[in-house]
Amino acid sequence: MYGRCGVVGDARNLFLTMSVVDSVSWNAMIAALGQHGHGVQAVELFEEMLKEGILPDRITFLTVLSACSHAGLVEEGHRYFDAMHDIYGITPGEDHYARMVDLLCRAGKFSDANDMIGKMPFQPGPQIWEAFLAGCRNHGNMELGIQAAERLFEMIPQNDGTYILLSNMYAAKGLWDNVSRVRKLMRDQGVKKEPACSWVEAENKFHVFMVDDTAHPEVNAVYSYLKQLVLEMRKLGYVPDTRFVLHDMESDQKEHAISTHSEKLAVAFGLLKLPRGATVRVFKNLRICGDCHNAIKYISKVVGREIVVRDGKRFHHFKDGECSCRNYW
């Protein structure tokens, strides 16, 4: 619970004070460390678990492979994946293969990922190709990304994530005609995009923000405060990265569009409402935008506070202008 709520330190303290620690507790702690970007610590804890004589199960390997993926620990991931069957007699499932494909694609090793997919003892399902497509999006590998998207269109044509990832890849390259075609295909299939939203707890209430929000009763104060923050951020070198605007528009319009993303609004609201010095914890339903990730690093330095953002995949701990993910996400 502590790990999922963004306070991994409390999770670790509780883990260390437990009188009896079973495999479920070890798994939960390894998973929490991995999700918070502490991949090396997660691997160290896994090794400690083995020394304690606790046998890992299939869930243990899912957690440690995820931790390796988020931290770019390719060699360690390979070693643990092989150990599953060779040492512990656990047959890897599709979810384990998906973690390995994710690990390899995040590291840009698409040839190795393709080889692994080809050697799988079963036909790759949606989660394999979703991991592959996400890696292609991260590295701008258009050719392989299109191939992965085509597989997903065949398997799960109603999944909005495939359309969004493919559209984002085209937008990043400025291929707006292709973006339009993907969006038309999405409409023709009757697929609706899940709207991005972010929420933050303040004054014993959750406050939800949408992109370009106008509904929240205090949103004008939020926009005003964000403008002040941006002025201070620019003094430190911040420049809005409009590559993450997914619509074709003029440059000034792009800067405005990217300034109203939901995570920025939720962070600003948290800074306004939470006690001075308190950690701001924001939750988002989708992956954090690249410009927002960069902007929040600058915000953490301007205000001198820790800001934690959990997106659809992991937690990002921003402090003193740095992020716990070390920009590997």
Side-chain angles (χ1 to χ4, degrees):
M1 184 276 288
Y2 281 126
R4 288 175 182 268
C5 289
V7 282
V8 70
D10 288 354
R12 185 63 182 266
N13 290 337
L14 183 58
F15 176 80
L16 292 174
T17 58
M18 293 173 66
S19 57
V20 178
V21 186
D22 60 9
S23 61
V24 176
S25 304
W26 286 95
N27 290 348
M29 193 65 240
I30 294 169
L33 289 170
Q35 195 176 25
H36 284 264
H38 305 305
V40 173
Q41 293 180 33
V43 166
E44 290 174 348
L45 190 65
F46 175 66
E47 294 291 348
E48 186 179 334
M49 173 184 175
L50 299 180
K51 290 177 182 177
E52 291 290 329
I54 306 294
L55 282 176
D57 56 22
R58 67 182 316 276
I59 302 301
T60 312
F61 283 104
L62 280 177
T63 61
V64 76
L65 289 174
S66 293
C68 290
S69 177
H70 287 308
L73 304 175
V74 177
E75 291 184 10
E76 291 84 348
H78 269 299
R79 186 168 70 251
Y80 294 137
F81 183 80
D82 293 339
M84 282 185 66
H85 180 269
D86 296 345
I87 298 177
Y88 299 100
I90 301 172
T91 301
E94 185 175 3
D95 44 3
H96 297 98
Y97 278 97
R99 298 296 195 280
M100 282 301 297
V101 170
D102 184 58
L103 168 63
L104 294 169
C105 289
R106 281 179 186 271
K109 297 181 178 296
F110 295 103
S111 178
D112 291 348
N114 262 325
D115 289 344
M116 174 157 282
I117 292 173
K119 294 175 182 177
M120 287 169 51
F122 41 75
Q123 288 297 314
Q127 58 181 320
I128 300 292
W129 293 115
E130 285 174 339
F132 199 95
L133 177 57
C136 291
R137 187 272 314 276
N138 290 346
H139 290 277
N141 193 322
M142 185 75 67
E143 181 180 354
L144 293 178
I146 292 172
Q147 294 177 22
E150 288 174 348
R151 299 292 184 94
L152 287 166
F153 285 144
E154 295 171 0
M155 295 177 181
I156 45 173
Q158 296 301 307
N159 179 42
D160 66 329
T162 307
Y163 299 89
I164 300 306
L165 283 173
L166 185 58
S167 177
N168 290 356
M169 288 180 66
Y170 284 134
K173 299 286 187 181
L175 302 173
W176 301 111
D177 289 342
N178 298 63
V179 172
S180 297
R181 280 196 289 272
V182 173
R183 289 178 178 159
K184 182 179 184 302
L185 177 62
M186 196 173 179
R187 289 193 300 271
D188 292 344
Q189 293 289 339
V191 178
K192 293 185 178 180
K193 176 183 180 294
E194 178 184 2
C197 67
S198 301
W199 58 97
V200 60
E201 185 179 6
E203 300 173 340
N204 296 316
K205 181 181 178 182
F206 283 102
H207 297 263
V208 181
F209 293 88
M210 310 294 286
V211 63
D212 200 20
D213 201 303
T214 57
H216 193 279
E218 298 184 67
V219 75
N220 289 332
V222 171
Y223 283 130
S224 178
Y225 181 51
L226 263 179
K227 287 182 180 179
Q228 296 175 34
L229 285 175
V230 169
L231 291 176
E232 296 300 316
M233 291 154 59
R234 284 183 180 273
K235 293 177 183 177
L236 297 177
Y238 169 69
V239 178
D241 191 342
T242 56
R243 291 177 303 165
F244 296 97
V245 176
L246 305 178
H247 297 274
D248 189 13
M249 55 180 68
E250 299 298 327
S251 58
D252 57 336
Q253 293 176 311
K254 287 184 177 181
E255 285 201 15
H256 172 74
I258 210 163
S259 72
T260 64
H261 282 192
S262 65
E263 53 265 59
K264 288 191 179 82
L265 303 181
V267 165
F269 183 82
L271 292 171
L272 283 171
K273 292 297 181 179
L274 292 172
R276 185 180 298 274
T279 299
V280 176
R281 291 185 174 84
V282 169
F283 296 79
K284 184 182 180 182
N285 61 333
L286 303 178
R287 186 178 190 267
I288 188 172
C289 150
D291 177 73
C292 288
H293 187 273
N294 188 41
I296 297 170
K297 287 197 296 184
Y298 278 97
I299 291 173
S300 72
K301 191 167 186 177
V302 168
V303 301
R305 290 167 70 171
E306 183 178 10
I307 301 168
V308 179
V309 179
R310 190 221 69 188
D311 65 8
K313 292 288 185 181
R314 65 185 298 169
F315 284 88
H316 298 265
H317 293 252
F318 300 93
K319 190 174 182 180
D320 299 326
E322 300 292 337
C323 179
S324 58
C325 75
R326 306 187 312 279
N327 297 327
Y328 189 89
W329 53 284

